Amino acid sequence: MIANRVSLELMNSLSELSTLGSSLEQFGEALGLSSKTLFEISLSIEELFSNIISYGYTDDAVHWIKVAISHEDDMLIIRLEDDGIPFDPLKAEEPDCECPIEQRKIGNLGIHLTKKFMDDMVYERQGNRNILTVKKKITGT
Amino acid sequence: MEVVEKKQNGICILGLLGRLDSNTSPEFEKKIFEVIEDGTKSLIVDFESLDYISSAGLRVLLKATKELKRSDGKIVLCSMKEYIKEVFEIAGFVSLFPIVSSVGDAMEEF
């Protein structure tokens, strides 16, 4: 039987990306996702997770980030929950992808890619927690 | 993630293997800046065995090409998988780098 939900609690450290990556891979393979779809989801999760780590915390303490991956009908759903400072990635400024190289900046490129690859993103602030739910339509299940 | 360095006709070729993500991009950054500091002006980055890239990897390439431009150098990218090329397209990076289909074609860009 295919598990339809994986829940992880990860430290705010980039080294957790490999745990996250392999959990997603197992989940995706069980669902029969194409390698392209799996790549787009992995990239999006990495961008969102590394954003929380880079910008979410103002202290050096260990924080826990909850990640849940599930699917419902033809939607793959990823929910990230953290206790970092309020941050709504949907309000992040769009990068200028046309300007010449000298003025080109990398900021927000991760969010830009995530918005392109995912079909739906919803941000909520509940108490002291950021909750981001992203969805991607999947086929072949 | 592994970076394999080769030299051919005065051109430096960096072959990437595995995943270029937030975790591994510092290693790639160190390597590419090492070869630039050593005076390399003609650089090929071979994506043939690269399975994954995120914005962290794009950041390193942007930084490196800006640095090389200052000394009239150039980076050419080659042998990208289709889904990786799509990342470059969405990011608007296809106008920043020549992207060709093989190392052989990349050599002809210099």
Side-chain angles (χ1 to χ4, degrees):
Chain A
M1 192 189 127
I2 298 171
N4 65 353
R5 189 180 174 89
V6 175
S7 299
L8 302 162
E9 216 160 321
L10 304 166
M11 272 192 295
N12 58 325
S13 156
L14 287 179
S15 60
E16 296 278 51
L17 277 175
S18 52
T19 310
L20 191 51
S22 50
S23 300
L24 177 68
E25 215 161 284
Q26 273 179 9
F27 193 80
E29 272 168 16
L31 282 176
L33 299 186
S34 71
S35 53
K36 182 174 158 32
T37 302
L38 199 53
F39 167 73
E40 292 174 355
I41 298 167
S42 308
L43 179 144
S44 303
I45 293 194
E46 179 192 331
E47 302 295 354
L48 298 170
F49 187 76
S50 59
N51 251 329
I52 296 170
I53 293 172
S54 307
Y55 308 114
Y57 303 107
T58 49
D59 58 21
D60 294 327
V62 170
H63 292 268
W64 295 92
I65 301 166
K66 286 185 189 170
V67 183
I69 309 166
S70 60
H71 83 103
E72 248 178 59
D73 304 324
D74 61 347
M75 282 291 188
L76 190 113
I77 305 159
I78 298 146
R79 185 178 187 275
L80 292 111
E81 184 179 332
D82 67 84
D83 63 349
I85 56 169
F87 176 66
D88 179 356
L90 293 167
K91 295 213 172 100
E93 207 181 311
E94 285 285 316
D96 183 352
C97 295
E98 306 287 330
C99 72
I101 183 166
E102 293 76 16
Q103 288 131 42
R104 197 66 76 98
K105 293 196 181 71
I106 201 85
N108 299 338
L109 201 51
I111 300 276
H112 175 67
L113 290 167
T114 303
K115 281 185 187 165
K116 291 277 175 187
F117 285 148
M118 305 303 283
D119 294 305
D120 187 42
M121 284 173 85
V122 177
Y123 170 80
E124 290 165 87
R125 180 78 180 173
Q126 283 183 11
N128 67 340
R129 309 188 73 79
N130 295 305
I131 298 165
L132 187 69
T133 310
V134 294
K135 294 182 184 176
K136 184 173 177 68
K137 208 172 169 52
I138 48 173
T139 45
T141 54
Chain B
M1 157 84 180
E2 208 184 315
V3 187
V4 180
E5 183 185 352
K6 272 191 282 184
K7 282 240 162 71
Q8 217 171 313
N9 305 333
I11 298 171
C12 176
I13 306 167
L14 294 180
L16 303 179
L17 282 83
R19 294 170 64 90
L20 187 53
D21 61 18
S22 308
N23 241 340
T24 57
S25 60
E27 192 188 321
F28 174 50
E29 181 166 359
K30 190 165 164 265
K31 185 72 207 170
I32 198 166
F33 276 87
E34 251 171 44
V35 302
I36 293 172
E37 274 155 33
D38 282 349
T40 298
K41 291 210 176 11
S42 307
L43 187 60
I44 295 172
V45 183
D46 181 2
F47 279 65
E48 165 110 63
S49 303
L50 191 78
D51 302 318
Y52 181 96
I53 192 167
S54 67
S55 68
L58 297 180
R59 177 180 291 118
V60 175
L61 286 168
L62 179 67
K63 216 173 143 187
T65 194
K66 278 184 175 174
E67 180 66 29
L68 262 184
K69 275 218 154 178
R70 259 181 251 157
S71 53
D72 282 325
K74 183 163 123 176
I75 300 181
V76 177
L77 312 178
C78 72
S79 315
M80 256 178 216
K81 292 185 171 68
E82 207 44 55
Y83 63 81
I84 289 188
K85 190 158 183 209
E86 210 182 305
V87 173
F88 279 75
E89 282 162 3
I90 296 171
F93 270 41
V94 286
S95 60
L96 303 183
F97 299 92
I99 302 175
V100 297
S101 56
S102 66
V103 171
D105 286 353
M107 304 283 288
E108 285 172 22
E109 293 281 323
F110 295 98

